[in-house]
């Protein structure tokens, strides 16, 4: 890339015009999105106060406009007290850049201390459902299709004794029904949790003070119920301190694999063996630790193809002095290589603490960029003389080779610091540019509308599975452009930390007015091809017979 640029300067005497800056404008206040994430802290230094804050972007009423669901905390230590201040909240998108709070009529206020949310149509009825994970209690909400949700049964398990931080939906056995993965964190009880520091100088304990937990996998029984297959699948054999979870078929065998970002212990990569079995291969695949063998405080994760070579790469955020990690997929049994230093990400994130994140093409040039929701731990300003609130960061992808921090030019409202946590990604105004909604502890949520002044084209696929699950989650999409370039993405709602994003599969096409060909590899194994697809629209694609 850089050699070509120098050659162009030599031949023509001028360099190509710089791309327009990626810019965001926080429109939460004027859009009616009035929500403050409350963690219930009252000087007790309870560990759960640090980690909450998931948010979901999903279209609950199928009107074509993406709605927003926020999880929220509760009073401590009872965890069961609810009030308007502490309730989960659903905001309906009015399709005109305004939102209306419809929590009460949707029956979604919830109980307990909520952490995370995962959205998907688990019962294949055409309506997106909600799973809300939390402290000592998780809830599954079935979308009734009439603007309301109802509690749905979860399998009998010891979930009530666990603290879940993230969750996600995927079809691990390709039977056409979505299964549920829950990332559990540590053993916690308000009455018996460890205390760190002195009575005069107390602080939040390091995760090492807590016992880790196994994750859980629930198989969809096709009748609205689930079976806990954590032990039988091999998922339950690994103890971790799970935070972020993401899915991708990293080796191209047609089976979806799982990555779990763990807090201060090695990351886990569950390789799907088929027949309901998983094998943990994080160390041998090269994604368990930083390149020097250090286990970072992994929080958010996204599993997508960053360099357009057809193989999903892995992005993980960490805490101050960890640096964020980028693992480049080498293909098949070759595993991954640590690419953070060569990309420029390692040094530029050394002094940051990242929570949620996402890989999306914010300027539609054909290369996925990076977004990070940032904040140091809340005790940092008290004991280290350093502000815990941070502004977020966005990195432009320079043709898959380098990552450039373009945050300084991303707009005035983007520079505002806060204790950011969850982030969900969707095109809330249907203008073809990806927006972001971000939560902040004890502060108003932010809705970053993408106002990048780019003339680049775009394309989004809204999938409808027939033999595959209704939303086509897990489908792999390969776009051939007329200029010979190839773009890759896959359908997933599990993105970042404790959050859930829109299920559409999006592509920036740059200057190309159409896609020459689109190949969709459905979870069922069917291959479907579309040709000469015009740009700048959302294309509804229903799974056909295709090729086996």
């Amino acid at each position: 890339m850089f050699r070509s640029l120098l050659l162009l300067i030599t031949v023509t005497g001028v360099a190509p015009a710089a791309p327009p800056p990626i810019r965001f404008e926080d429109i939460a206040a004027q859009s009616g999105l009035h929500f403050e994430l409350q963690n219930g802290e009252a000087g007790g230094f309870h560990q759960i106060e640090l980690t909450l804050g998931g948010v979901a972007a999903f279209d609950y009423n199928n009107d074509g406009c993406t709605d927003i669901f926020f999880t929220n905390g509760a009073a401590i230590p009872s965890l069961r007290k609810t009030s308007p201040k502490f309730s989960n909240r659903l905001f309906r998108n009015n399709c005109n850049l305004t939102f209306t709070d419809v929590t009460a009529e949707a029956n979604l206020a919830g109980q307990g201390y909520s952490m995370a949310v995962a959205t998907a149509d688990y019962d294949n009825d055409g309506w997106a459902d909600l799973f809300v994970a939390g402290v000592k209690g998780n809830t599954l909400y079935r979308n009734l299709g009439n603007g309301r949700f109802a509690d749905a049964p979860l399998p009998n398990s010891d979930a009530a004794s666990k603290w879940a931080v993230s969750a996600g939906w995927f079809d691990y056995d390709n039977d056409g029904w979505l299964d549920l993965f829950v990332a559990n964190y540590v053993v916690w009880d308000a009455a018996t949790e460890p205390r760190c520091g002195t009575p005069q100088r107390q602080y939040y304990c390091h995760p090492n003070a807590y016992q880790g937990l196994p994750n859980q996998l629930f198989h969809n029984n096709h009748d609205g119920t689930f079976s806990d297959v954590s032990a039988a699948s091999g998922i339950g054999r690994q103890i971790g301190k799970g935070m972020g979870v993401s899915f991708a078929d990293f080796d191209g065998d047609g089976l979806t694999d799982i990555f779990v970002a763990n807090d201060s212990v090695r990351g886990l990569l569950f390789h799907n063996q088929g027949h309901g079995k998983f094998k943990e291969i994080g160390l041998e695949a090269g994604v368990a630790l930083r390149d020097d063998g250090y286990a970072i405080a992994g929080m958010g994760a996204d599993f997508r193809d960053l360099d357009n070579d057809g193989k999903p790469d892995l992005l993980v955020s960490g805490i101050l002095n960890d640096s964020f990690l980028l693992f480049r997929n080498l293909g098949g049994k070759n595993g991954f290589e640590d690419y953070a230093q060569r990309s420029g990400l390692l040094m530029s994130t050394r002094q940051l603490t990242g929570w949620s994140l996402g890989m999306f093409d914010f300027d539609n040039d054909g290369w996925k960029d990076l977004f990070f929701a940032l904040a140091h731990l809340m005790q940092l300003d008290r004991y280290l003389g350093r502000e815990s609130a941070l502004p977020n960061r966005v990195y432009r992808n320079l043709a898959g080779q380098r990552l450039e921090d373009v945050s300084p030019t991303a707009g005035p409202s983007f520079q505002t610091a806060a204790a950011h946590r969850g982030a969900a990604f969707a095109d809330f105004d249907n203008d073809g540019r990806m927006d972001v909604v971000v939560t902040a502890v004890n502060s108003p949520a932010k809705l970053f509308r993408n106002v990048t002044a780019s003339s680049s084209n775009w394309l989004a696929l809204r999938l409808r599975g027939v033999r595959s699950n209704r939303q086509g989650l897990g489908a792999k999409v390969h776009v051939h452009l007329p200029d010979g370039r190839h773009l890759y993405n896959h359908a997933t709602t599990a993105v970042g930390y404790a959050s859930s994003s829109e299920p559409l599969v999006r592509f920036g096409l740059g200057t190309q007015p159409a896609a020459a060909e689109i190949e969709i590899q459905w979870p069922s194994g069917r291959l479907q091809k579309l040709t000469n697809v015009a740009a700048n629209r959302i294309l509804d694609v229903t799974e056909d017979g295709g090729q086996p």
Side-chain angles (χ1 to χ4, degrees), residues 58-368:
F58 76 126
D59 184 2
Y60 84 95
N61 56 358
N62 288 345
D63 65 352
C65 300
T66 304
D67 312 296
I68 298 174
F69 177 85
F70 293 100
T71 65
N72 210 348
I76 303 171
S78 72
L79 305 182
R80 291 184 294 274
K81 180 180 178 182
T82 59
S83 70
K85 178 180 178 181
F86 289 111
S87 69
N88 301 326
R89 303 279 285 281
L90 175 65
F91 288 85
R92 185 186 65 225
N93 187 336
N94 299 321
C95 301
N96 60 1
L97 285 182
T98 68
F99 291 80
T100 300
D101 188 336
V102 294
T103 307
E105 63 192 71
N107 190 36
L108 283 175
Q111 297 287 324
Y113 201 95
S114 297
M115 286 276 162
V117 56
T119 65
D121 180 6
Y122 77 85
D123 53 359
N124 289 334
D125 67 350
W127 301 94
D129 310 296
L130 285 169
F131 174 79
V132 178
V135 181
K136 297 188 176 183
N138 303 323
T139 307
L140 178 61
Y141 294 102
R142 179 172 175 258
N143 190 335
L144 301 178
N146 59 0
R148 293 183 59 81
F149 291 77
D151 287 14
L154 282 171
N156 293 325
S157 69
D158 57 353
S161 66
K162 297 191 186 318
W163 169 6
V165 169
S166 282
W169 296 96
F170 74 127
D171 185 0
Y172 75 84
D173 54 359
N174 291 337
D175 65 352
W177 296 80
L178 291 172
D179 311 298
L180 177 65
F181 183 92
V182 179
N184 292 310
Y185 187 44
V186 298
V187 176
W188 180 87
D189 186 271
T192 61
E193 71 174 315
R195 297 296 178 182
C196 295
T198 66
Q200 297 76 26
R201 196 176 177 85
Q202 193 174 344
Y203 53 85
Y204 294 102
C205 296
H206 190 276
N208 290 345
Y210 298 84
Q211 178 184 345
L213 288 169
N215 301 300
Q216 292 173 289
L217 179 62
F218 299 106
H219 179 259
N220 191 327
N221 297 328
H222 310 181
D223 59 2
T225 68
F226 293 82
S227 296
D228 189 340
V229 295
S230 307
S233 65
I235 294 294
R237 297 174 193 165
Q238 303 295 326
I239 303 297
K241 298 176 180 180
M243 300 201 89
V245 59
S246 55
F247 307 109
D249 177 10
F250 81 87
D251 58 351
D253 65 356
L255 299 168
T256 302
D257 310 296
I258 312 164
F259 177 81
V260 180
N262 284 307
D263 191 354
S264 303
V265 296
R266 66 184 179 91
L268 301 174
L269 178 60
F270 291 104
H271 184 210
N272 193 334
Q273 308 286 294
H275 307 291
K277 303 294 183 181
F278 288 83
K279 180 181 179 182
E280 202 288 304
I281 62 167
L283 284 173
E284 49 264 55
V287 298
L289 304 165
R290 200 169 63 192
D291 205 29
D292 59 359
Y294 179 78
I296 74 165
M299 290 189 277
D302 199 2
F303 214 160
R304 296 180 194 267
D305 184 0
L306 191 64
D307 54 3
N308 285 334
D309 66 352
K311 301 182 288 289
D313 310 298
L314 184 59
L315 179 69
V316 187
S317 59
I319 204 170
L320 176 68
N321 293 324
D322 279 349
S323 292
F324 303 167
L325 303 184
L326 175 61
F327 297 104
R328 182 171 175 264
N329 191 337
L330 300 176
K333 297 181 180 180
N334 296 316
F336 296 75
E337 64 173 342
D338 191 328
Y339 206 72
Q341 182 172 0
R342 273 184 283 171
S343 68
L345 190 65
L346 189 76
M347 291 305 297
S348 68
T349 58
R350 178 77 72 184
Q351 298 303 307
L352 304 178
T353 297
W355 297 83
S356 201
L357 54 81
M359 298 189 211
F360 294 93
D361 188 354
F362 295 111
D363 55 2
N364 287 328
D365 66 348
W367 298 94
K368 297 180 191 70

